[in-house]
Amino acid sequence: MGTIVFVGAGSMAEAIIAGIVDGGVMHPRDVFVMNKSDDDRLSYLQQKYGVSIVCPERKALRDAELIVLGTKPKDIHQAMADIAGFLNENAAVLSVIAGVSIATIECGLGSRPIARSMPNTSATIGKSATGVSMNHAVDEQMKRRILTLLSGIGIVKEVQEDELHAVTALSGSGPAYIYYMVEALEEAAITEGLSKEIARELIIQTFEGASAMLRQTGEEPSVLRTNVTSPNGTTEAGIKALEKNSFKKIIAECIQSAETRSRELGSTSSSATMKE
């Protein structure tokens, strides 16, 4: 892949930079980064990963094959206005900004190849579960390059753009749900007499083991659950408590609420574009 420019220098931009540089997907000399005002942040990325800072003349933008939009959602319209006049007509765009539609980016940066993705915070350790959608201008070669880039931070699945709302609700916000469940398990374990340190280690290993079983066995989760659940045993007692308190309904409402909020944010972004 040719030159890549990251517009925005936050944690997600750093996660992708780390994935593609440390993983050998890109040479640091071909990666540039810019943001609105934080020069210290740019210097940090330059020193840690060997990438370059976009100069005031914006030459890197003119030469870039791919632009990665990683600003905060509230800053995206100004960011696009700042760079639009410098992009070459063949440059593709990859957005990692929640709630910003492909149509919004087309409005700000013109008709060109555009991909919209939803990584999660586990990208910082190369374990993201990312969904991506692309417009019809993305050819097979660019598609492979974008998928390769996103694979540098974890797994990536191509979906329809409208499905990104569900992806956001499931895997985009998903780590927070897991952490919240860990909090609850830890508090319950401490109440039953375990120390916080022992509870934390047991919980982490339990999650890792269950994830590995799902991946390595290929079994349905219901089958694995049944295999653990002896009649009249401790697991059955725990499962019955979850069922009594409508655990599956709670999870469904969680995903539905997050998905609805994702659509609301997308609608707000689109409305702002139309007003402009």
Side-chain angles (χ1 to χ4, degrees):
M1 182 177 286
T3 301
I4 294 180
V5 175
F6 286 80
V7 179
S11 58
M12 190 57 67
E14 181 177 1
I16 297 174
I17 290 170
I20 62 177
V21 171
D22 294 345
V25 176
M26 295 286 299
H27 194 285
R29 66 167 176 261
D30 296 322
V31 180
F32 290 77
V33 62
M34 61 183 287
N35 67 2
K36 185 168 60 174
S37 59
D38 192 345
D39 291 339
D40 289 341
R41 177 65 176 171
L42 295 178
S43 296
Y44 158 79
L45 293 174
Q46 183 180 45
Q47 292 171 13
K48 184 169 183 179
Y49 301 103
V51 300
S52 300
I53 299 171
V54 175
C55 66
E57 292 75 24
R58 302 289 196 261
K59 182 179 184 301
L61 283 173
R62 300 183 191 279
D63 297 337
E65 181 177 359
L66 180 65
I67 306 296
V68 180
L69 299 177
T71 68
K72 295 179 180 178
K74 67 181 181 64
D75 296 329
I76 183 57
H77 295 290
Q78 185 60 55
M80 290 194 296
D82 289 343
I83 68 173
F86 296 96
L87 303 186
N88 72 73
E89 62 181 15
N90 297 317
V93 175
L94 168 64
S95 170
V96 295
I97 307 170
V100 178
S101 68
I102 289 175
T104 296
I105 299 169
E106 289 174 337
C107 185
L109 298 179
S111 179
R112 62 177 66 250
I114 297 172
R116 174 185 169 191
S117 66
M118 188 64 242
N120 64 32
T121 55
S122 299
T124 58
I125 58 169
K127 295 292 185 180
S128 178
T130 302
V132 63
S133 180
M134 308 180 196
N135 68 4
H136 295 301
V138 177
D139 62 23
E140 284 300 314
Q141 184 179 42
M142 180 54 67
K143 177 179 175 179
R144 287 195 299 272
R145 291 174 175 177
I146 289 171
L147 292 177
T148 297
L149 185 147
L150 292 173
S151 294
I153 57 171
I155 69 163
V156 56
K157 298 295 182 181
E158 188 175 4
V159 298
Q160 297 299 312
E161 184 175 16
D162 192 62
E163 294 175 322
L164 283 174
H165 298 295
V167 171
T168 298
L170 180 64
S171 58
S173 300
Y177 312 149
I178 301 299
Y179 303 144
Y180 194 46
M181 187 171 183
V182 169
E183 288 179 56
L185 287 169
E186 196 170 275
E187 290 170 8
I190 291 171
T191 297
E192 296 303 319
L194 289 177
S195 70
K196 181 175 182 178
E197 293 74 18
I198 289 175
R200 176 75 57 85
E201 287 299 319
L202 290 174
I203 292 166
I204 291 172
Q205 184 60 36
T206 300
F207 271 80
E208 288 183 351
S211 295
M213 285 289 288
L214 281 166
R215 184 174 297 280
Q216 293 177 24
T217 66
E219 291 279 10
E220 290 294 316
S222 59
V223 172
L224 293 174
R225 172 177 56 80
T226 300
N227 290 343
V228 179
T229 309
S230 301
N232 299 316
T234 58
T235 305
E236 184 178 74
I239 292 292
K240 284 184 176 179
L242 292 175
E243 291 174 341
K244 179 181 177 181
N245 289 279
S246 303
F247 181 74
K248 286 188 176 181
K249 181 180 178 182
I250 292 170
I251 296 300
E253 290 181 357
C254 168
I255 299 299
Q256 289 165 5
S257 295
E259 199 264 1
T260 297
R261 182 55 180 155
S262 177
R263 290 186 181 279
E264 291 172 351
L265 291 171
S267 177
T268 300
S269 174
S270 297
S271 296
T273 300
M274 287 188 288
K275 290 178 182 179
E276 294 173 358

